[in-house]
Amino acid sequence: MSTDRTSRTRPPATPGTGHGRISTETVRTIVESNHTRRTFWKQLALIGPAFVAGAWQFGPGNLTTAMNAGSLYGYALIWVIIVSTILMIFLTDMSVRLGIRTPISLISSIKETLGGWVGVVAGFGVFLITLCFSVGNAVGSGVGLSMLIPGTSPVMWTIICTLAVGTILFLKGIYGIVEKILIAIVALMAFCFIASAFASNPDWAAAGSGLIPVVPEGSWLLIIGLVGTNFSINAAFYTSYGTKARKRTAEEYRDITVVDTVPGIIAPGIMTALVIIVAAAVLHDTGTDAPAGFAGLTAIFEPIAGPVGTWIFALGFFGAAFSSMIPNCIAGGTMLSDALGRGASADTITARLGSGFILLFGIAITLIFSGTSPVELIVLAQALTVLFAPVLAALIIVMANNRKLMEDLRNKWWQNLLGLVGLIAVLALGIRLVISLVGA
């Protein structure tokens, strides 16, 4: 009788611990504590999705607008890069948290929460933006290799690069492969553009004055283009898919922010600022006219930095174009597949077909306009992406505030404040672009 009463009142035993030793809750706390306490190398393993977004963001369009900004206005527009990078970090952070919390994908959750047609619009919107970017990526990769190997045809290299990226699309586990390639290329580009900046011997004091916001007369289209490339909301949107593909958890969120989100977005921002500094030193400070094509900058760069410096800059240029080419087509195909309800993975048939179409579109436009300079076309294409950016930004902010979906990872008030600043900025620039185009 007393034995039965004791067994009814005593708490159940913890397996493997016995009574009076340690509670189940204590064991769970210890396990979770050890799980979240990561070594340096385990933290490095979290690097990925934001660097993919940064590589996509830092493409030939980014280089073109930065080169024109430096050659025309010197160091005056560096502040645009700083502001854009800060806003990009916060929007990418929201997308990372959405990637952690969404059960299937961001577009699937948008369909469930806001309606199916909203998700379809978002997916097709990103797909159309990738079509715009594909032209610059195709042209830039070809021109970059032709600068590295003088006398060769840019179109030939464009075709070769397109076939190389197309081959990647047939591999299984596309995202993991692409992520490793892009992290390596981003590291290479960082070295190239840092070396180029110091080799060009810029006026660093004047470059520092570029941190003060000013708007030179006639610079609005370039400012819109710089924002369109550096505050790349479509890249931020896709980061949720990379996060989901890597199966990141809420326990990893803090470490992800430190080793991936912040450095992954700051890196292309710094490189863009360095390109402005190089162009300002090589072109603006010497009074040289801006080159009509990409190769013009390296030709002018050679007397200052020598053939090795020129080769390093050309290598960085190719890396920017090729590294943007890969995630651009994969992201566009994935978004199209998810919008059509065919799956949120780059491995679906629909995603592969969509990615292939983006590559073919880029190479087709390159062949059609092979005899003309692509610089103005690319700058305009970068600026046009701002028109759809407010829709994507609004969707990210709305979904990141969904209490049921996000739980403890829901936006804080200061995250909403900075998100709204970014949304208002791209909305205002979009309106400004429409006014400029109508006026022209």
Side-chain angles (χ1 to χ4, degrees), residues 300-363:
I300 299 168
F301 192 75
E302 186 167 358
I304 297 175
V308 175
T310 302
W311 189 87
I312 289 174
F313 184 86
L315 181 63
F317 186 95
F318 164 71
F322 192 70
S323 67
S324 182
M325 191 179 196
I326 299 172
N328 184 69
C329 70
I330 291 176
T334 303
M335 295 296 100
L336 181 66
S337 175
D338 201 10
L340 295 174
R342 303 299 176 86
S345 168
D347 294 317
T348 67
I349 297 298
T350 303
R352 293 177 193 268
L353 291 175
S355 299
F357 180 80
I358 292 168
L359 289 174
L360 290 175
F361 182 85
I363 200 170

Side-chain angles (χ1 to χ4, degrees), residues 153-233:
S153 168
V155 175
M156 176 192 74
W157 287 118
T158 293
I159 294 172
I160 291 173
C161 289
T162 302
L163 291 174
V165 176
T167 302
I168 295 174
L169 299 180
F170 290 99
L171 301 176
K172 291 184 177 180
I174 295 175
Y175 184 83
I177 296 170
V178 166
E179 193 177 77
K180 292 178 176 63
I181 294 172
L182 295 184
I183 290 172
I185 295 178
V186 167
L188 174 66
M189 288 191 295
F191 165 77
C192 290
F193 289 114
I194 290 172
S196 298
F198 282 95
S200 64
N201 193 26
D203 183 344
W204 291 105
S209 68
L211 299 176
I212 302 172
V214 293
V215 181
E217 186 177 352
S219 64
W220 272 111
L221 183 60
L222 263 179
I223 289 175
I224 294 170
L226 286 171
V227 173
T229 53
N230 289 279
F231 189 28
S232 182
I233 296 176

Side-chain angles (χ1 to χ4, degrees), residues 96-429:
V96 167
R97 286 182 279 118
L98 283 164
I100 291 172
R101 286 301 189 205
T102 49
I104 301 174
S105 71
L106 179 51
I107 285 181
S108 296
S109 292
I110 288 172
K111 288 180 178 180
E112 183 179 343
T113 305
L114 304 176
W117 68 273
V118 181
V120 171
V121 168
F124 271 90
V126 175
F127 180 75
L128 292 175
I129 289 174
T130 59
L131 288 179
C132 293
F133 284 158
S134 68
V135 179
N137 294 334
V139 173
S141 59
V143 171
L145 283 174
S146 69
M147 290 190 293
L148 286 171
I149 309 175
T152 56
S153 168
V155 175
M156 176 192 74
W157 287 118
T158 293
I159 294 172
I160 291 173
C161 289
T162 302
L163 291 174
V165 176
T167 302
I168 295 174
L169 299 180
F170 290 99
L171 301 176
K172 291 184 177 180
I174 295 175
Y175 184 83
I177 296 170
V178 166
E179 193 177 77
K180 292 178 176 63
I181 294 172
L182 295 184
I183 290 172
I185 295 178
V186 167
L188 174 66
M189 288 191 295
F191 165 77
C192 290
F193 289 114
I194 290 172
S196 298
F198 282 95
S200 64
N201 193 26
D203 183 344
W204 291 105
S209 68
L211 299 176
I212 302 172
V214 293
V215 181
E217 186 177 352
S219 64
W220 272 111
L221 183 60
L222 263 179
I223 289 175
I224 294 170
L226 286 171
V227 173
T229 53
N230 289 279
F231 189 28
S232 182
I233 296 176
N234 51 298
F237 195 92
Y238 181 66
T239 303
S240 68
Y241 286 78
T243 304
K244 180 61 67 179
R246 291 288 298 271
K247 299 179 181 178
R248 296 304 183 210
T249 64
E251 289 76 20
E252 295 172 323
Y253 167 65
R254 188 178 298 276
D255 288 337
I256 290 170
T257 303
V258 173
V259 303
D260 186 42
T261 306
V262 173
I265 302 304
I266 286 179
I270 291 174
M271 288 188 285
T272 305
L274 291 175
V275 172
I276 293 179
I277 290 171
V278 169
V282 175
L283 301 174
H284 187 268
D285 287 357
T286 59
T288 309
D289 292 335
F294 295 115
L297 184 59
T298 56
I300 299 168
F301 192 75
E302 186 167 358
I304 297 175
V308 175
T310 302
W311 189 87
I312 289 174
F313 184 86
L315 181 63
F317 186 95
F318 164 71
F322 192 70
S323 67
S324 182
M325 191 179 196
I326 299 172
N328 184 69
C329 70
I330 291 176
T334 303
M335 295 296 100
L336 181 66
S337 175
D338 201 10
L340 295 174
R342 303 299 176 86
S345 168
D347 294 317
T348 67
I349 297 298
T350 303
R352 293 177 193 268
L353 291 175
S355 299
F357 180 80
I358 292 168
L359 289 174
L360 290 175
F361 182 85
I363 200 170
I365 299 300
T366 301
L367 292 173
I368 292 171
F369 296 97
S370 59
T372 61
S373 171
V375 172
E376 291 185 4
L377 176 63
I378 291 176
V379 171
L380 180 60
Q382 302 300 122
L384 287 174
T385 61
V386 175
L387 294 177
F388 194 77
V391 177
L392 296 178
L395 288 174
I396 291 174
I397 294 170
V398 168
M399 294 303 294
N401 278 282
N402 188 307
R403 190 183 299 273
K404 182 179 178 182
L405 175 67
M406 300 300 291
E407 298 177 348
D408 58 321
L409 293 183
R410 193 166 66 99
N411 270 6
K412 307 294 189 296
W413 68 268
W414 52 273
Q415 291 169 322
N416 281 327
L417 178 62
L418 286 164
L420 287 173
V421 169
L423 174 59
I424 293 169
V426 292
L427 186 60
L429 289 173

Side-chain angles (χ1 to χ4, degrees), residues 52-79:
V52 171
W56 183 11
Q57 164 189 345
F58 189 74
N62 193 311
L63 279 167
T64 304
T65 51
M67 181 185 74
N68 282 358
S71 63
L72 294 174
Y73 304 106
Y75 308 99
L77 297 181
I78 292 177
W79 66 270

